Amino acid sequence: MDSARLVDEDEDVVCEVQDDGIQGDEAVSTDPSGKRIKTRGRNLLFDDGESCIDYVLAWQVPKKVNEASGLAEKARENFEKNLLDEGLKLEYDKSDEDVHYVKVHAPWEVLTRYAEILKVKMKMKKTIVAEGIEQKYSKWENPVKAVSTTLWNSINKVKDLVMTPFSLDHTVLPKITKEHTLVYSRDKEYMFDIPEKRELFFKHSERSRIVDFILRRKAFGDDKKEAFTFGIKKMLADGFYSAAYPLHEGHWKEGSMMNTRKLLYENWAYWRKCLKMQPLEYIRNYFGSQIALYFAWLGFYTQFLVPPSIIGLVIFLYGTIYMDDSYPSKEVCDPSLNITMCPLCDYQCGYWKINASCNDSKYSRMFDNNGTVFFAIFMSLWGTLFLEFWKRKQSVIQYNWDLVEFIKEEEPPRPEYLAKLASYPVLKVNPITGMKEPHLPFWRRRFPTFVLSYSFMLLTMAIAVGGVVGVIAYRVSILAALQLIEKDGPKNGTMGSTQHLIQNNASIITTITAACINLILIMILNLIYSRVAVWLTDFECLRTQSEYDNSINIKLFSLQFVNYYSSIVYIAFFKGRLVGRPGAYNMAFGARQEECGAGGCLIELCLQLAIIMAGKQLIQNNLLEIVLPKAIKMLKRLYRRKWLKETAEQKAKMAAWEKDYQLEEHSSLYHEYLEMVLQYGFLTIFVAAFPLGPLCCLLNNIIEIRTDAVKFCTDLRRPLAERAADIGIWYEILYAISRLAIVSNAFIIALTSDFIPRLVYVYYYSDNQTLVGYTQWGLSKFNTSDFEPDKRVQGSDVCWYRDFRYPPGYKDETGEPMQYEYSEKFWHVLAARFAFVVVFENLVVVTTSLVAYLIPDVPAKVKKEIRREAYISSEIVIQTELQKAKGNSVTDILLGKLRKGGAEGENGSSARKRNGRGGDDDAIVRVDEVSVSNI
């Protein structure tokens, strides 16, 4: 990799950093008119012009000097003295009256020492001595490819051909291949590809990570073994420093010189590139593997949405065509059928004709058709394939990014944990770190805290369920009110047409308005739940940041799961199930329970799902993440210009660390993951009701990737390049959702849709194996004289309702009255429903388990390359040390001057003759670059 001079438009000084394949930076550019424009660089150096700024610490200058400010100053002095003792270089900038800065630089000795401690893998030289390894490579490759391998390679070629329009421009973003690396060792420095300017050996992200490692482990108190005065995180929490961050390596705006940040903005965050693949290697080199892994997962998930989006769209188009040709819809819309339906509410609602629900029935057929079952099965398999192939993709990423043997560092206590227990009397020595820390007994302190925390979380979940009950009450009352509109109003006037339109679509109007109200309620509770989850997790007093993140992730997901899904679950599995029958309705809160419309509950479920899902993505993802941040940014700029009187010249004179200080701090990725995991739940758990869901998610995710990219490139301080080998607890949550989705889709098809009753009718009751007569078959008769006197409505002697019950006056063979009891049809349909659930679940579970078993978590090629790299590394070290033991200089070995068969010259030849050695011991091998990016 070459070095480039990464600069900003505001300063003249430049800092040389490793650019990962970026070729050159021009100091002069031309605009479209051909005019030459001089660009200027960003100052990333100390005043000596040599030492690169690896980290910046900032603190607010107190307005008044008091005891607190004196304590903070003493803590900073101790901390910075310990940093100097560690070997770091510090430089101060106190030109700003409000904020002071200390710039931190890690010299070569510090970098190499901690690179060895942290077991950082660094690039090795391409040409070194080993024992015939190059010749052995060819023996490992089988010239006869297996049929499966040939087929898989053909599929990959077709995939690459299809993905060509979406590929990156490698003339702008040169492809970064996997290079042979080895854990750094100062004793074997000759093994590594160290440039002439030694400090360029470490990338800026690696330098800042090493400095952060030191900052998190240095004391700022008098007692260096005291955990309460330990680390930069604790100092930030106590307010001794206001910020600690690495610098961006340049500016992203037009006119600035080319740098990695600008390169990412123009080829990743730029909206015109929204259909291009992501430059994951560049993201990883700049932001670290933890953030790059999130974008890799999000990009993989988005690509995997393409097949279900296409199939879902086909299913929807099929339903659109099918809805007019459906026999049940034709029968419902046929005026000659003249079926009088029972009132939809007590006291005030009248009888109505079944053809009034014509539109509901047609719209229901758009989603409730034979394709729904196929799509539900497909999406269940899709969920398993997605998770299995992501594990394969993740293993490739781990290999390419040297994360295979990743071991997470021992975490220090959270600053908030220490602050909360500052006066706690019981201290114990941590057996790992050897530091004194507060010790909370599990049964006396932790267990009661967890019980109280999760009990309160259940209470907040009950609030969401209460909101759903309130929306149900709204639906019941509004539907009854719409049914009271007089039918005999003016027939030709506007009022009459409006009344007729409202009355015919009362169910859909009620569903849409209720879903919108529910969405608003969800958004309000969402804000509350985010704070509740943080408060409860803080209350648990967890020691490490990983424990804290996992706990808050589970709480946030659980609370949001209930908040978003409770109303959908109600419509899918409970609405219309326990209604009762005319004359004996089951009452709740003094009113009848809701019934499904003539078209069934699936159309209502579809509308509810579409509004909540689209509303969440439109309002939360676009309004809150795109529009609102831009508005806040404009207000801040206006504030600085109008009230602080900041001019363009003043801004141009600001140092790089001052500009980055004004950016927002990046806290965590759990909000980004939570947003996508909730979307995944909508997509898989209720996909049978909304086949357009994958397409909506695909379009949203394309926007989401660019929105997050813009945020990281322009609006946030540069995050620490932290390492992570996987997506953490989110994979377990995704797996649980996939298992739950199988059960959910089985019950949606069996209970919510009319697929099973139609199937029973066609194959058991129909004379000609068609759906002719299905509508009336699914209705039961009721004698209106059996209504209670105060609920009796004049106008008809007989009405019909949706259920499978015996007609009035029916008796069994023994003469026992059976009127209004469940009929034989009911039990046939019920048995078919549960049989379908059992068959569907077992079929899908067995199939998905078989697919998961057949797809290995790690591709065979990656396994081979991992073993190959380990073998090469050990052989290189062994043979190089052997050559040193023979008296050959390291310089000769690395320059490849020892040639097999006497090519080394007289000295090498005579040495072999004297020692009686030859052959493979002196072979020269070039370690090839290995890439498995196409696996």
Side-chain angles (χ1 to χ4, degrees):
M1 291 183 289
D2 301 325
S3 64
R5 297 170 68 79
L6 305 188
V7 297
D8 181 36
E9 79 277 21
D10 297 320
E11 291 85 18
D12 292 318
V13 186
V14 295
C15 177
E16 287 192 344
V17 297
Q18 213 164 2
D19 79 337
D20 307 317
I22 307 168
Q23 300 298 324
D25 283 316
E26 296 295 332
V28 178
S29 59
T30 57
D31 63 8
S33 63
K35 181 181 177 180
R36 295 170 64 82
I37 302 173
K38 184 178 179 180
T39 54
R40 307 173 69 185
R42 164 167 275 206
N43 182 7
L44 301 176
L45 296 175
F46 277 20
D47 292 340
D48 60 11
E50 294 292 334
S51 303
C52 204
I53 301 172
D54 298 320
Y55 224 87
V56 175
L57 306 177
W59 69 93
Q60 297 279 350
V61 179
K63 301 297 182 183
K64 295 181 180 180
V65 177
N66 51 31
E67 184 179 353
S69 63
L71 180 64
E73 185 176 359
K74 181 67 166 41
R76 286 194 296 269
E77 288 178 359
N78 290 339
F79 186 68
E80 290 158 14
K81 179 180 179 298
N82 291 332
L83 295 182
L84 291 172
D85 291 342
E86 191 64 33
L88 297 176
K89 293 176 64 177
L90 305 180
E91 185 176 79
Y92 294 88
D93 179 5
K94 299 184 179 181
S95 58
D96 192 325
E97 296 181 357
D98 298 323
V99 183
H100 289 175
Y101 304 89
V102 55
K103 296 166 281 183
V104 184
H105 168 73
W108 171 259
E109 190 278 330
V110 175
L111 292 173
T112 53
R113 174 160 35 102
Y114 276 94
E116 192 170 33
I117 293 170
L118 296 176
K119 301 187 184 316
V120 178
K121 285 192 172 184
M122 304 301 294
K123 184 177 67 172
M124 296 178 63
K125 287 188 177 292
K126 293 184 178 180
T127 305
I128 51 181
V129 178
E131 185 181 1
I133 300 174
E134 191 173 62
Q135 288 78 9
K136 295 181 182 181
Y137 284 173
S138 59
K139 298 178 183 179
W140 292 357
E141 302 293 339
N142 189 348
V144 181
K145 302 292 183 182
V147 176
S148 59
T149 303
T150 304
L151 179 61
W152 184 251
N153 291 338
S154 301
I155 293 173
N156 279 328
K157 288 180 181 178
V158 174
K159 183 198 76 173
D160 293 339
L161 184 63
V162 172
M163 297 300 292
T164 299
F166 310 103
S167 300
L168 296 169
D169 185 356
H170 292 302
T171 60
V172 179
L173 292 166
K175 191 173 182 180
I176 300 176
T177 56
K178 171 83 168 80
E179 294 179 318
H180 199 84
T181 58
L182 188 67
V183 174
Y184 181 79
S185 171
R186 286 180 289 179
D187 295 336
K188 298 179 178 60
E189 195 173 280
Y190 54 83
M191 306 288 291
F192 300 96
D193 192 7
I194 301 175
E196 185 176 348
K197 189 171 182 180
R198 298 168 69 86
E199 291 191 0
L200 296 180
F201 182 53
F202 293 94
K203 291 181 290 191
H204 193 281
S205 58
E206 292 167 340
R207 300 171 66 92
S208 61
R209 189 162 62 87
I210 289 173
V211 173
D212 180 79
F213 182 85
I214 298 172
L215 294 177
R216 284 189 281 119
R217 282 157 177 78
K218 286 300 163 186
F220 57 88
D222 297 328
D223 184 1
K224 294 184 179 181
K225 291 294 184 181
E226 180 61 62
F228 293 99
T229 57
F230 181 79
I232 185 64
K233 297 293 184 183
K234 186 68 167 64
M235 297 192 74
L236 290 170
D238 291 343
F240 297 157
Y241 287 110
S242 57
Y245 51 93
L247 289 178
H248 279 292
E249 296 175 16
H251 211 287
W252 57 273
K253 290 185 178 179
E254 185 178 357
S256 58
M257 292 182 70
M258 183 55 66
N259 57 80
T260 310
R261 183 188 185 189
K262 184 178 180 182
L263 194 73
L264 285 172
Y265 175 77
E266 293 180 348
N267 296 276
W268 175 45
Y270 201 47
W271 287 100
R272 291 183 182 178
K273 305 288 186 179
C274 66
L275 297 180
K276 293 291 185 179
M277 305 292 287
Q278 299 183 88
L280 294 176
E281 294 289 346
Y282 289 84
I283 299 170
R284 173 239 178 175
N285 288 338
Y286 193 77
F287 292 111
S289 59
Q290 186 182 67
I291 291 174
L293 199 61
Y294 161 72
F295 282 104
W297 174 81
L298 181 55
F300 183 80
Y301 170 46
T302 303
Q303 291 179 45
F304 229 77
L305 284 173
V306 174
S309 298
I310 296 173
I311 296 176
L313 181 61
V314 171
I315 296 292
F316 174 75
L317 294 176
Y318 165 75
T320 304
I321 299 170
Y322 171 79
M323 70 177 186
D324 290 325
D325 294 333
S326 170
Y327 276 115
S329 296
K330 289 180 178 179
E331 291 178 344
V332 169
C333 297
D334 186 4
S336 63
L337 195 60
N338 197 30
I339 297 178
T340 300
M341 303 297 292
C342 295
L344 295 174
C345 64
D346 294 332
Y347 305 112
Q348 296 173 323
C349 295
Y351 303 105
W352 54 286
K353 298 296 183 182
I354 195 172
N355 59 5
S357 62
C358 175
N359 291 333
D360 287 359
S361 180
K362 283 185 177 181
Y363 296 148
S364 179
R365 296 288 85 77
M366 292 173 61
F367 303 99
D368 187 4
N369 52 65
N370 294 334
T372 303
V373 180
F374 165 76
F375 194 57
I377 296 174
F378 170 79
M379 288 303 294
S380 298
L381 294 173
W382 175 87
T384 299
L385 289 173
F386 165 66
L387 295 178
E388 291 302 317
F389 277 102
W390 165 247
K391 284 195 290 186
R392 289 171 62 88
K393 177 72 173 178
Q394 185 173 262
S395 66
V396 174
I397 290 174
Q398 290 172 348
Y399 171 71
N400 282 334
W401 295 355
D402 291 325
L403 297 170
V404 175
E405 298 175 355
F406 173 75
I407 299 175
K408 197 162 186 180
E409 304 155 5
E410 177 64 24
E411 293 185 76
R414 292 172 55 247
E416 297 83 358
Y417 170 83
L418 296 176
K420 191 170 184 178
L421 300 176
S423 58
Y424 191 72
V426 181
L427 298 178
K428 291 186 70 174
V429 176
N430 187 299
I432 306 299
T433 62
M435 301 195 70
K436 294 179 181 179
E437 295 179 10
H439 174 70
L440 296 178
F442 178 78
W443 290 109
R444 286 192 292 111
R445 288 296 303 268
R446 290 203 175 276
F447 183 74
T449 301
F450 289 144
V451 170
L452 185 60
S453 174
Y454 283 94
S455 298
F456 191 82
M457 191 173 77
L458 293 175
L459 176 62
T460 54
M461 290 180 179
I463 295 175
V465 176
V468 173
V469 174
V471 173
I472 293 170
Y474 164 84
R475 255 200 304 257
V476 171
S477 58
I478 291 298
L479 185 61
L482 293 177
Q483 293 293 337
L484 289 176
I485 297 177
E486 293 291 339
K487 294 184 179 180
D488 54 353
K491 303 297 182 183
N492 299 323
T494 304
M495 182 62 71
S497 301
T498 304
Q499 289 175 350
H500 184 70
L501 181 65
I502 292 175
Q503 222 170 26
N504 287 344
N505 297 280
S507 178
I508 293 179
I509 292 173
T510 304
T511 300
I512 292 175
T513 56
C516 292
I517 293 173
N518 193 40
L519 175 63
I520 295 172
L521 183 63
I522 285 172
M523 293 297 178
I524 296 172
L525 289 176
N526 188 22
L527 297 175
I528 298 173
Y529 284 166
S530 298
R531 287 161 176 77
V532 167
V534 173
W535 180 76
L536 290 176
T537 310
D538 288 339
F539 179 71
E540 291 174 6
C541 205
L542 298 172
R543 178 182 175 272
T544 65
Q545 191 63 40
S546 295
E547 293 173 350
Y548 183 87
D549 290 342
N550 289 339
S551 180
I552 199 171
N553 288 342
I554 293 174
K555 287 184 180 64
L556 275 174
F557 176 75
S558 301
L559 292 171
Q560 303 287 32
F561 186 93
V562 174
N563 189 27
Y564 280 105
Y565 298 157
S566 54
S567 60
I568 301 173
V569 169
Y570 163 73
I571 295 175
F573 304 121
F574 297 101
K575 185 177 178 181
R577 300 284 171 260
L578 304 172
V579 175
R581 61 170 179 83
Y585 286 113
N586 297 322
M587 310 299 287
F589 305 107
R592 279 168 51 179
Q593 297 184 36
E594 283 190 288
E595 297 182 55
C596 295
C601 279
L602 195 67
I603 184 64
E604 294 184 43
L605 177 61
C606 176
L607 289 172
Q608 183 86 1
L609 185 62
I611 290 173
I612 293 178
M613 188 174 175
K616 175 184 180 297
Q617 294 178 351
L618 178 65
I619 296 175
Q620 180 176 327
N621 299 7
N622 297 333
L623 180 62
L624 298 183
E625 293 188 13
I626 300 177
V627 179
L628 188 60
K630 286 191 175 182
I632 294 174
K633 198 173 181 180
M634 291 177 64
L635 290 174
K636 286 183 178 179
R637 190 181 301 130
L638 184 65
Y639 172 76
R640 290 197 298 267
R641 288 179 181 176
K642 297 295 183 182
W643 279 269
L644 300 181
K645 305 299 182 182
E646 181 183 84
T647 63
E649 291 76 12
Q650 289 175 327
K651 185 176 180 181
K653 292 178 181 179
M654 291 175 64
W657 44 92
E658 294 178 287
K659 290 183 177 180
D660 285 4
Y661 181 76
Q662 292 180 353
L663 299 177
E664 297 291 332
E665 182 183 6
H666 174 255
S667 56
S668 176
L669 286 169
Y670 67 77
H671 282 296
E672 283 80 4
Y673 274 116
L674 176 65
E675 183 181 324
M676 290 296 105
V677 170
L678 286 172
Q679 182 199 89
Y680 182 81
F682 280 118
L683 184 68
T684 54
I685 297 176
F686 306 105
V687 72
F690 190 43
L692 289 179
L695 181 60
C696 295
C697 294
L698 174 63
L699 298 176
N700 173 79
N701 288 3
I702 292 174
I703 298 174
E704 180 70 22
I705 290 174
R706 306 304 151 179
T707 302
D708 288 343
V710 170
K711 180 172 64 176
F712 275 97
C713 288
T714 66
D715 299 333
L716 298 177
R717 294 175 194 155
R718 185 177 183 178
L720 180 68
E722 295 190 25
R723 303 179 78 212
D726 51 43
I727 62 175
I729 198 172
W730 295 110
Y731 182 86
E732 282 71 26
I733 294 176
L734 290 170
Y735 180 81
I737 290 175
S738 297
R739 298 291 98 180
L740 178 62
I742 297 174
V743 180
S744 173
N745 284 304
F747 277 99
I748 286 176
I749 295 171
L751 301 180
T752 310
S753 80
D754 283 343
F755 175 76
I756 299 302
R758 290 199 302 266
L759 211 62
V760 171
Y761 177 78
V762 167
Y763 291 103
Y764 193 83
Y765 288 95
S766 176
D767 296 331
N768 52 5
Q769 306 295 301
T770 66
L771 287 171
V772 176
Y774 170 77
T775 300
Q776 191 150 5
W777 175 82
L779 300 176
S780 297
K781 185 188 293 186
F782 181 76
N783 192 335
T784 59
S785 62
D786 292 331
F787 275 125
E788 296 179 13
D790 60 334
K791 298 179 181 178
R792 193 170 298 166
V793 182
Q794 301 298 322
S796 180
D797 297 330
V798 173
C799 66
W800 298 78
Y801 59 99
R802 283 177 59 89
D803 208 340
F804 298 106
R805 294 179 182 268
Y806 289 118
Y810 182 84
K811 297 181 180 180
D812 62 7
E813 297 176 354
T814 62
E816 184 73 20
M818 295 289 291
Q819 66 176 5
Y820 305 135
E821 297 293 331
Y822 287 120
S823 65
E824 187 181 65
K825 292 187 292 184
F826 171 83
W827 299 111
H828 285 168
V829 171
L830 184 64
R833 290 184 195 273
F834 282 102
F836 173 82
V837 169
V838 172
V839 172
F840 183 93
E841 288 183 5
N842 283 278
L843 175 65
V844 175
V845 167
V846 170
T847 305
T848 53
S849 300
L850 182 62
V851 168
Y853 174 76
L854 293 176
I855 299 176
D857 293 347
V858 182
K861 188 174 182 180
V862 174
K863 290 181 179 178
K864 183 185 72 174
E865 296 295 353
I866 292 172
R867 295 175 60 190
R868 182 186 201 178
E869 184 171 287
Y871 172 76
I872 291 173
S873 299
S874 61
E875 284 294 302
I876 288 172
V877 174
I878 291 171
Q879 293 303 320
T880 305
E881 293 295 324
L882 177 61
Q883 292 296 330
K884 287 176 62 182
K886 292 178 180 179
N888 296 317
S889 69
V890 174
T891 303
D892 287 343
I893 296 172
L894 298 180
L895 293 177
K897 291 182 179 179
L898 300 176
R899 298 294 179 184
K900 183 178 179 180
E904 301 86 342
E906 295 180 0
N907 293 336
S909 177
S910 60
R912 281 199 308 276
K913 289 177 181 178
R914 288 193 303 270
N915 297 322
R917 301 187 185 96
D920 291 340
D921 283 349
D922 303 318
I924 302 297
V925 174
R926 184 177 64 83
V927 180
D928 295 331
E929 295 179 356
V930 182
S931 178
V932 290
S933 58
N934 293 324
I935 296 177

